[in-house]
């Protein structure tokens, strides 16, 4: 097989969560650029006419839109019942997430519960249910969007750090069970990317300066910087990758 064919996603269908903006939107468009049709879902995604739908459709790919609040367990199950009844999913990108900032001594139960529900519990449930379909089909690719806080503790985001650390373990746990069944489970750990989630950091001149000084590449990342890793982990090029987490961080973890 030619190297170019290893990355070809023509005929594949990818479910991308949190696809309305930021990293999820960039990944959805990147997978479409590689040939995949997209099933997109976000809490506030327009069911018709969203910007991500327009960009995917302009590439000649199909886009199916769904809404789901991942903090609502019953809504999550409703979504999964609907999407799995109408789609055969080849690629799952677990990108939807949230972050809530307060020092640990002020971090309320409501912050902790919501972050863990969205970033961890819902991702396990989605992976389990989509994974059943993939195992029946004998193939599939699951890509979790982890974080630098999969490896580090962060500051004033204890729930987020705990959830992303757990995602790293979940990647390995699922890959241990499903690798022999044809399902590759891996992850991407983005560095400091210019998205809504990092707006507070970019607005803090001192924190932003400290962050940029540690990044060897000397800049904030762009959501488009994640496209390459996402295509790799969604394609045949990653057929012998299981339980891996790729850092896309401008060199942060090397410092």
């Amino acid at each position: 097989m030619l190297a170019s064919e290893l990355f070809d996603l023509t005929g594949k269908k990818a479910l991308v969560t949190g696809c309305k903006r930021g990293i999820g939107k960039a990944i959805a468009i990147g997978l479409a650029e590689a040939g995949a049709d997209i099933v997109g879902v976000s809490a506030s995604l327009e069911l018709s006419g969203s910007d991500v739908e327009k960009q995917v459709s302009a590439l000649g790919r199909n886009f199916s839109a769904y809404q789901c609040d991942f903090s609502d367990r019953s809504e999550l199950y409703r979504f999964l019942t609907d999407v799995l009844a109408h789609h055969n999913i080849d690629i799952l990108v677990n990108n939807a997430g949230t972050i809530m900032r307060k020092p640990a001594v002020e971090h309320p139960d409501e912050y902790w519960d919501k972050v863990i529900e969205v970033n961890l519990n819902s991702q396990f449930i989605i992976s389990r249910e989509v994974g059943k379909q993939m195992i029946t089909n004998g193939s599939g690719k699951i890509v979790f969007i982890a974080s630098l806080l999969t490896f580090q503790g962060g500051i004033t985001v204890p729930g987020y750090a705990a959830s992303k650390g757990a995602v790293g373990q979940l990647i390995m746990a699922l890959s241990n069970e499903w690798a022999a069944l044809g399902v590759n489970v891996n992850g991407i750990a983005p560095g400091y990317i210019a998205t809504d989630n990092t707006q507070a950091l970019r607005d803090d001149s001192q924190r932003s300066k400290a962050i940029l000084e540690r990044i060897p590449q000397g800049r904030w990342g762009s959501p488009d910087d994640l496209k390459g890793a996402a295509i790799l982990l969604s394609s045949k090029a990653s057929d012998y990758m299981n339980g891996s987490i790729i850092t896309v961080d401008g060199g942060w973890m090397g410092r």
Side-chain angles (χ1 to χ4, degrees), residues 69-214:
D69 177 357
F70 293 104
S71 69
D72 184 326
R73 188 74 62 90
S74 61
E75 189 170 329
L76 174 62
Y77 277 112
R78 174 201 56 75
F79 160 70
L80 286 168
T81 298
D82 191 3
V83 77
L84 292 175
H86 293 94
H87 300 281
N88 191 61
I89 304 300
D90 302 292
I91 301 158
L92 168 62
V93 179
N94 279 312
N95 169 73
T98 191
I99 189 167
M100 305 186 81
R101 301 177 185 277
K102 270 189 182 295
V105 295
E106 302 171 12
H107 210 79
D109 291 354
E110 293 79 12
Y111 278 26
W112 177 274
D113 291 344
K114 182 172 182 178
V115 170
I116 296 296
E117 189 66 29
V118 173
N119 293 6
L120 179 60
N121 296 345
S122 71
Q123 295 200 14
F124 169 68
I125 292 168
I126 295 168
S127 299
R128 182 188 66 204
E129 298 307 307
V130 174
K132 291 175 185 177
Q133 187 186 73
M134 291 178 170
I135 289 167
T136 298
N137 293 337
S139 65
K141 303 282 185 175
I142 298 178
V143 183
F144 285 86
I145 303 304
S147 169
L148 295 183
L149 300 196
T150 300
F151 314 106
Q152 300 177 322
I155 301 170
T156 73
V157 287
Y160 184 84
S163 70
K164 292 300 185 177
V167 162
Q169 295 300 115
L170 184 57
I171 289 167
M172 292 185 287
L174 296 181
S175 69
N176 287 343
E177 293 191 36
W178 295 351
L181 302 176
V183 179
N184 300 89
V185 184
N186 294 288
I188 301 169
Y192 285 90
I193 309 296
T195 66
D196 292 350
N197 277 358
T198 60
Q199 189 65 56
L201 294 177
R202 288 182 286 128
D203 290 343
D204 183 329
S205 59
Q206 289 187 328
R207 288 293 308 281
S208 182
K209 181 176 182 290
I211 288 167
L212 287 173
E213 286 174 346
R214 173 167 169 164

Side-chain angles (χ1 to χ4, degrees), residues 41-42 44 48 54 61 94 104 128 135 160 170 181 224 230:
V41 57
S42 290
S44 59
S48 179
K54 290 175 182 176
R61 310 303 173 197
N94 279 312
R128 182 188 66 204
I135 289 167
Y160 184 84
L170 184 57
L181 302 176
D224 282 352

Side-chain angles (χ1 to χ4, degrees), residues 42-72:
S42 290
S44 59
L45 180 67
E46 300 89 342
L47 295 179
S48 179
S50 67
D51 188 59
V52 63
E53 177 181 2
K54 290 175 182 176
Q55 293 194 54
V56 168
S57 298
L59 295 165
R61 310 303 173 197
N62 294 323
F63 185 90
S64 301
Y66 290 84
Q67 289 183 350
C68 181
D69 177 357
F70 293 104
S71 69
D72 184 326

